[in-house]
Amino acid sequence: MQSVTSADEARQAAASGVDALIVQAPAAGGHSATLTPARPLAPVRLPDLIASVRGAVTLPVIATGGIATAADVTVALRAGAQAAMVGTVLLRTHESGASAPHKAVLADPASATTTVTGAFTGRPARALRNHFTDRFDPVAPAGYPALHHLTGPLRKAATAAGDTRLIHLWAGTGHREARVESAAETFERLAGRV
Ligand SMILES: Cc1cc2nc3c(=O)[nH]c(=O)nc-3n(C[C@H](O)[C@H](O)[C@H](O)COP(=O)(O)O)c2cc1C
């Protein structure tokens, strides 16, 4: 399987012989799978991206990026995806390995917005906006993985100190729906069973 962020990337993935596509909208938390990280991510909605990929290739589509409720899953399936995939909405579950400061700030009303930033690693990734993204995003070079290694010790120390102004708080646009519960309960909710 290959993650793709556009119809063009879907065509390239299909030509290389993959069995299925993970179609990732820019609402996704964490790093974008884009093949052109130096270019700003196109602000496409997940259902439109699914439709565009389905118009380009015939491979099965797993939709992802910003899915956080049962309604979001329904929209993705109606748009033509065979399955839905989530990341952010699991970050506060009992099974999640996210750090304690990361889990806490996801639920903090003061952290209302996410932003796509290359400041932490030199590759576009969606995170909660904080002091680090505000200060360094405007000047960050597209330098993955050098920037990742450069900022790594600082982020590790900030995590140990619980200083969320400097941590890479990966989060998609659906982060408000992340709950403290078991992952199984989250999936039941997304499947519309509770
Ligand atoms: C904390 C976190 C870490 C992630 N790490 C990776 C990774 O190592 N490799 C990867 O391909 N995608 C990674 N992703 C992106 C997910 O594969 C997926 O595209 C994304 O979580 C889906 O969007 P959502 O977060 O809005 O559900 C990560 C996402 C998050 C939230």
Side-chain angles (χ1 to χ4, degrees):
M1 292 187 274
Q2 170 74 37
S3 291
V4 296
T5 64
S6 68
D8 187 45
E9 289 177 1
R11 275 188 215 97
Q12 292 183 57
S16 75
V18 302
D19 296 314
L21 298 175
I22 297 158
V23 174
Q24 186 199 49
H31 284 107
S32 164
T34 177
L35 292 180
T36 50
R39 244 188 260 159
L41 303 184
V44 60
R45 290 171 58 251
L46 181 59
D48 297 336
L49 182 60
I50 295 166
S52 145
V53 166
R54 298 250 316 163
V57 298
T58 54
L59 290 170
V61 163
I62 300 162
T64 202
I67 294 175
T69 65
D72 295 336
V73 173
T74 303
V75 167
L77 298 182
R78 284 209 183 124
Q82 274 71 37
M85 181 177 128
V86 294
T88 298
V89 79
L90 294 167
L91 284 176
R92 297 178 73 220
T93 59
H94 307 319
E95 293 86 346
S96 166
S99 69
H102 190 173
K103 285 184 175 181
V105 79
L106 283 164
D108 183 349
S111 316
T113 55
T114 62
T115 184
V116 174
T117 181
F120 293 114
T121 67
R123 243 195 101 81
R126 188 172 289 279
L128 292 175
R129 201 180 142 191
N130 63 2
H131 170 74
F132 196 93
T133 63
D134 284 351
R135 172 72 183 80
F136 295 110
D137 188 65
V139 293
Y144 183 88
L147 215 54
H148 164 71
H149 294 301
L150 184 72
T151 65
L154 182 142
R155 292 184 281 126
K156 203 170 163 191
T159 302
D163 186 349
T164 53
R165 294 176 317 136
L166 304 174
I167 305 175
H168 54 292
L169 302 164
W170 300 147
T173 57
H175 67 95
R176 285 262 161 264
E177 300 293 333
R179 296 196 194 159
V180 180
E181 60 188 3
S182 70
E185 285 171 306
T186 305
F187 287 125
E188 290 285 331
R189 207 150 47 75
L190 290 170
R193 294 202 195 108
V194 286

